[in-house]
Amino acid sequence: MARNKELNQKIKDERREQILSSALMLFATKGLSATRITDISAAAGISQGLMYHYCKSKEEIFSELIKYALDRMNAACIELEKLPLPPHQKIKMAIEKLLQGFDANKNTSYYYLLILQATVSEAIPREAKEIISQGSSLPYEVIERILIEGQKEGTIKDYDARDLSVVFWTSIKGLALNKAAFGGSYKMPDPRILAGIFLNE
Amino acid sequence: MARNKELNQKIKDERREQILSSALMLFATKGLSATRITDISAAAGISQGLMYHYCKSKEEIFSELIKYALDRMNAACIELEKLPLPPHQKIKMAIEKLLQGFDANKNTSYYYLLILQATVSEAIPREAKEIISQGSSLPYEVIERILIEGQKEGTIKDYDARDLSVVFWTSIKGLALNKAAFGGSYKMPDPRILAGIFLNE
DNA sequence: GTCTATATCCAGATAGAC
DNA sequence: GTCTATCTGGATATAGAC
């Protein structure tokens, strides 16, 4: 009895994983609206009707993916800030890790595409919009704080820290979207190019 | 008689302008698929049925907007390359002009959103895909050539020129998308921040 | 040229059998 | 838990009146 329940739960969890993973790819490459529920079910290898045992709608899946992406990004930023390193090293490391992540795993760049859609699009469930509007400012704040610290030490260039933080993230996002667009054929540039935007030599 | 024909043509042209302009905003903020033909007709102030006198489908409008954006961008790049200026000045000027353009006119950043959609999405008419795949490499090539020239003169940093060109455009695109996402509230950063990526001091 | 009304089609969601 | 069949709604596209 208990055995069966456990097994069923396991199957259910695995299917849900499968669904989320398929949906990520489809949402990223077609957008929420153009992705049909049957696209997701086909990619996950189940019938269309069965989808409704695992989720209420594709909007729900979309929101869940957004939440997951934001949570991970924010957690990583908090970790970064806590590291026992001088600020300019934190910036260097962040850039290296982010670019490596894009090269290693295309899903990473797909998440950026999802976040962009959710930020920019009016055709997105209210829930996803709320998750975004509440959870997307932390990375900017963290980088800004680190840059200000570095400016005090004289290791970071003396432009407006808010501007620098915006350039940091828009450049990263630009590269992520390029990766999502051109995929395997495209390799990330030398991270020192980006680091040079911020660091005094 | 001839008068009427001229007048009719003029009305027709104006309407078409209206439709294209409304469609740009809607495609950028909702995506092609989520934009209904009635959204466009309502924004242009005409009935849904009348749309079919001015275009075959929303896909056709989308392709036309993509073509227009690419043509203008490519023409601007060719102009830039021809200017009688040293390479590092061309880079500086390109960055300044691009950022000014984003601040001056939100439509500019909307075009970037359209290009991104057309590049990344599978749910895009074949025609738009073809336009993109044929017409989107020139800006990268032009910037790469200018950078190589500057490297010979010692005014441009000595990283791989292809990498630098990719960073140039991905950073610009990142800023454009940020503008599209956050709109009026967001002001472009100091162009010297970006220029510093490329220029030897 | 412009509108309203209608037909067609397709995706989302539900119901019922296994 | 899983499928197939069906209902429903909404968007596209067309037809016909003014």
Side-chain angles (χ1 to χ4, degrees), chain B residues 15 47 53-54:
Chain B
R15 279 252 190 276
S47 76
H53 279 254
Y54 291 103

Side-chain angles (χ1 to χ4, degrees), chain A residues 59-79:
Chain A
E59 281 76 15
E60 186 198 43
I61 300 174
F62 189 86
S63 296
E64 190 165 335
L65 288 168
I66 291 287
K67 185 165 161 31
Y68 175 80
L70 249 48
D71 284 351
R72 277 201 32 186
M73 173 59 85
N74 287 343
C77 286
I78 290 169
E79 285 309 305

Side-chain angles (χ1 to χ4, degrees), chain A residues 106-172:
Chain A
K106 201 168 180 195
N107 272 3
T108 314
S109 53
Y110 283 161
Y111 278 112
Y112 281 77
L113 224 24
L114 244 56
I115 302 279
L116 179 68
Q117 283 176 43
T119 308
V120 119
S121 174
E122 312 289 336
I124 287 294
R126 199 170 42 76
E127 201 196 339
K129 278 286 194 192
E130 279 165 15
I131 295 170
I132 285 278
S133 71
Q134 284 162 18
S136 65
S137 61
L138 190 131
Y140 286 89
E141 292 159 10
V142 166
I143 293 295
E144 189 178 348
R145 281 198 294 267
I146 295 175
L147 289 169
I148 289 175
E149 244 194 285
Q151 288 175 331
K152 285 184 196 155
E153 297 184 0
T155 51
I156 296 288
K157 287 187 178 162
D158 225 352
Y159 295 105
D160 179 85
R162 180 72 199 164
D163 275 5
L164 284 176
S165 163
V166 166
V167 170
F168 180 97
W169 283 114
T170 53
S171 301
I172 291 291

